[in-house]
Amino acid sequence: MASLEKNRQILISISTEPKNNACADCGEMDPDWASCNIGVFLCTKCAGIHRNLGSHISKIKSLRLDNWETHQVEFMRQNGNQVAKEKYEKHVPLFYRQPGPNDPDVVREQWVRAKYDRKEFVQENGVSYLQGGIKEGFLHKRRKDDNKFQLRRFLLNEHDYTLRYFVNENKEPKDVIAVMDMNACFCAGKMGIPNALQITYTKDGSTRCLYLYTEDGKDIVDWYNAFRATKFTLNRVAFPGTNASVVLAVLSNKSQ
């Protein structure tokens, strides 16, 4: 028992080191949990998502309540958040929305799944949100008259920087939205739906909104990152020579 208590104290000490004193996935300070086979320290929310991945991917233990064997503590010492970051976040696209402690659950969950389950960022060009500059698919869109949702086809085009949506497949798009004038933000609280997105844009001098959702969390986050990728490219083209960090700051300031 004495050795287990000693291990626990050593582990807690490791978790307070500057490279480990924030959650590896969302940045919340003072993590109380860890993945003993990945080697990262985690906050309560992110630990819950890790647990849902299954123990074959991530084995979660409490720093203070669970017993830690000596070899597990040594593994955490040799790895830790920085080592995991260098492996699992090596090729995260510049435009990708990484979650903070207060971000929506769907953003946090899909970030964790992308890193450790799908391993999207381990290899260069491991993930693409637009195929040939195009993203196309169906989203549930809320109607203005009765607030009911109907499936509508959406097409995001990186070549002309537009988002189109269609009511009738055999007709012209209902609307063509310039990406430059568009802003996207998650709105689960506002809509009462977990995977919800609000598109705000200007048209003919007025502000308009589209309220959208998908059944699958990955799908809505992929759409969101496709919007960011398109706007990121647009800004790099519009302002050549501008530092990427400046372009990213513009995206962040606009919640895009």
Side-chain angles (χ1 to χ4, degrees), residues 24-41:
D25 294 327
C26 76
E28 183 171 333
M29 298 302 295
D30 304 320
D32 286 321
W33 301 82
S35 171
C36 64
N37 62 322
I38 295 176
V40 291
F41 295 89

Side-chain angles (χ1 to χ4, degrees), residues 242-256:
T242 303
N243 189 280
S245 62
V246 175
V247 178
L248 290 173
V250 172
L251 291 184
S252 299
N253 289 338
K254 292 185 177 181
S255 300
Q256 173 64 61

Side-chain angles (χ1 to χ4, degrees), residues 11-22:
L11 183 67
I12 291 173
S13 177
I14 295 171
S15 75
T16 63
E17 295 174 2
K19 62 181 180 180
N20 296 321
N21 66 352

Side-chain angles (χ1 to χ4, degrees), residues 68-129:
W68 287 77
E69 301 296 335
T70 301
H71 73 275
Q72 293 176 322
V73 174
E74 188 58 29
F75 179 81
M76 296 299 298
R77 187 202 303 276
Q78 293 177 1
N79 289 274
N81 291 0
Q82 186 58 41
V83 171
K85 181 181 179 70
E86 291 169 359
K87 175 181 178 180
Y88 292 102
E89 300 180 27
K90 186 174 183 179
H91 297 289
V92 177
L94 287 173
F95 58 79
Y96 191 96
R97 166 79 174 270
Q98 299 182 32
N102 300 316
D103 270 322
D105 290 345
V106 66
V107 177
R108 187 194 303 256
E109 179 179 358
Q110 292 308 314
W111 169 242
V112 170
R113 290 186 177 277
K115 285 171 64 174
Y116 308 111
D117 185 6
R118 301 190 293 267
K119 295 183 173 65
E120 293 179 359
F121 314 123
V122 172
Q123 301 294 330
E124 189 172 7
N125 301 320
V127 61
S128 176
Y129 299 100

